[in-house]
Amino acid sequence: MIQPSLTTYSFNSPAEPALLDVASIAADRILLLDAYFSVVVFHGMTIAQWRNMGYHHQPEHQVLITSCFRDAEPSHCS
């Protein structure tokens, strides 16, 4: 059986696996759900506001966004 995997990204810690639970949702996190046939990226409220204000273009914030989307590419998904 294929099980989806959930990875969490935040400024406070490196990327790490997360439980498939509502408790994994937080304002300062990006969640990457790999459900084998599809990949879903969820931005918490704070991250979404930063993205809308263009912070992801600043080098200190770019690392978090870039690492998440790099892991979402098909060659990195398990």
Side-chain angles (χ1 to χ4, degrees), residues 63-78:
V63 173
L64 179 65
I65 303 283
T66 304
S67 65
C68 176
F69 286 110
R70 183 193 65 236
D71 290 349
E73 291 176 1
S75 62
H76 289 90
C77 294
S78 54

Side-chain angles (χ1 to χ4, degrees), residues 5-78:
S5 65
L6 184 65
T7 307
T8 181
Y9 300 83
S10 74
F11 285 114
N12 302 326
S13 62
E16 59 187 10
L19 295 174
L20 290 169
D21 189 70
V22 72
S24 297
I25 298 172
D28 63 343
R29 287 186 181 169
I30 297 175
L31 298 176
L32 176 68
L33 176 68
D34 178 5
Y36 190 70
F37 291 112
S38 60
V39 175
V40 178
V41 178
F42 172 82
H43 296 97
M45 178 78 80
T46 303
I47 301 292
Q49 289 173 345
W50 289 349
R51 187 194 61 221
N52 292 339
M53 290 189 285
Y55 284 14
H56 62 287
H57 296 296
Q58 297 177 1
E60 63 271 11
H61 294 95
Q62 203 169 29
V63 173
L64 179 65
I65 303 283
T66 304
S67 65
C68 176
F69 286 110
R70 183 193 65 236
D71 290 349
E73 291 176 1
S75 62
H76 289 90
C77 294
S78 54

